[in-house]
Amino acid sequence: MIKFIDQFFERFNQIEDNEVLSTDDLHLATAALLVEVAVSDQNFDECERKQLKKLLASECQLNTEEIAQLINEAEKKSKSASSLFEFTHIINTHCDYTQKLSLVNSLWKVAYADNELDSYEEHIIRRIADLIHVSHRDFIQEKISVRDK
């Protein structure tokens, strides 16, 4: 699994717009963005980690060990990434608007996992939403839907 993840991230800059990515590639890009939110406040606590695992389990249908490896690798890659573009480019190229809204919803779920929204978390979600071309209106609607649950 780790070898596969490393190979995926090495391919980030080689992906052509017309190339069809596997579902695993999309899940890895999603995991990296979720980790970006979780670590944005410098406190990747157990509540956020638990929420991240839950989201990845439901989306990716991986076992517990594979999810743990995915999160660990995504943490490493988010630290070494020069920008969010390498992650958001994959989302923009291969996801429709509904899938992007679902991602934004998941980002909010990670941010609210500890029942506290940090300004850094909100800022990174706003940046990701902008980069994947989600409207401000939809960005706010997803925030409210998660916050009010």
Side-chain angles (χ1 to χ4, degrees), residues 92-138:
N92 279 330
T93 305
H94 302 286
C95 293
D96 62 24
Y97 196 75
T98 303
Q99 292 167 315
K100 292 175 183 182
L101 286 178
S102 178
L103 172 59
V104 170
N105 186 278
S106 294
L107 296 170
W108 284 119
K109 286 178 180 176
V110 170
Y112 278 111
D114 58 2
N115 295 317
E116 223 176 276
L117 179 63
D118 184 87
S119 62
Y120 291 111
E121 292 169 327
E122 185 165 13
H123 175 74
I124 195 81
I125 297 170
R126 173 77 259 166
R127 283 182 47 211
I128 293 168
D130 284 344
L131 289 169
I132 62 173
H133 313 293
V134 169
S135 72
H136 184 70
R137 181 176 143 285
D138 290 337

Side-chain angles (χ1 to χ4, degrees), residues 69-95:
Q69 290 174 343
L70 178 61
I71 291 170
N72 287 335
E73 193 61 29
E75 280 184 87
K76 290 177 195 172
K77 296 303 178 183
S78 75
K79 287 179 184 176
S80 66
S82 59
S83 73
L84 295 171
F85 177 78
E86 56 192 90
F87 308 121
T88 59
H89 175 70
I90 291 171
I91 302 300
N92 279 330
T93 305
H94 302 286
C95 293

Side-chain angles (χ1 to χ4, degrees):
M1 176 78 170
I2 296 294
K3 183 178 177 182
F4 172 78
I5 293 170
D6 285 337
Q7 290 170 346
F8 165 76
F9 282 106
E10 287 172 13
R11 291 186 330 123
F12 262 138
N13 293 327
Q14 300 169 4
I15 295 173
E16 298 294 326
D17 287 351
N18 60 358
E19 180 181 347
V20 177
L21 294 180
S22 73
T23 303
D24 291 340
D25 292 339
L26 291 172
H27 292 292
L28 287 168
T30 300
L33 292 171
L34 292 169
V35 166
E36 287 284 340
V37 172
V39 301
S40 65
D41 64 355
Q42 306 299 315
N43 183 25
F44 191 3
D45 66 26
E46 190 55 39
C47 295
E48 291 169 325
R49 191 171 294 278
K50 187 176 181 179
Q51 180 67 19
L52 185 58
K53 289 176 183 178
K54 179 180 172 183
L55 290 166
L56 292 173
S58 99
E59 177 68 27
C60 303
Q61 300 173 2
L62 299 172
N63 67 39
T64 306
E65 184 179 317
E66 291 169 327
I67 289 171
Q69 290 174 343
L70 178 61
I71 291 170
N72 287 335
E73 193 61 29
E75 280 184 87
K76 290 177 195 172
K77 296 303 178 183
S78 75
K79 287 179 184 176
S80 66
S82 59
S83 73
L84 295 171
F85 177 78
E86 56 192 90
F87 308 121
T88 59
H89 175 70
I90 291 171
I91 302 300
N92 279 330
T93 305
H94 302 286
C95 293
D96 62 24
Y97 196 75
T98 303
Q99 292 167 315
K100 292 175 183 182
L101 286 178
S102 178
L103 172 59
V104 170
N105 186 278
S106 294
L107 296 170
W108 284 119
K109 286 178 180 176
V110 170
Y112 278 111
D114 58 2
N115 295 317
E116 223 176 276
L117 179 63
D118 184 87
S119 62
Y120 291 111
E121 292 169 327
E122 185 165 13
H123 175 74
I124 195 81
I125 297 170
R126 173 77 259 166
R127 283 182 47 211
I128 293 168
D130 284 344
L131 289 169
I132 62 173
H133 313 293
V134 169
S135 72
H136 184 70
R137 181 176 143 285
D138 290 337
F139 163 80
I140 295 298
Q141 284 180 335
E142 293 303 321
K143 176 183 180 180
I144 291 168
S145 74
V146 171
R147 183 193 66 199
D148 293 347
K149 280 193 175 180

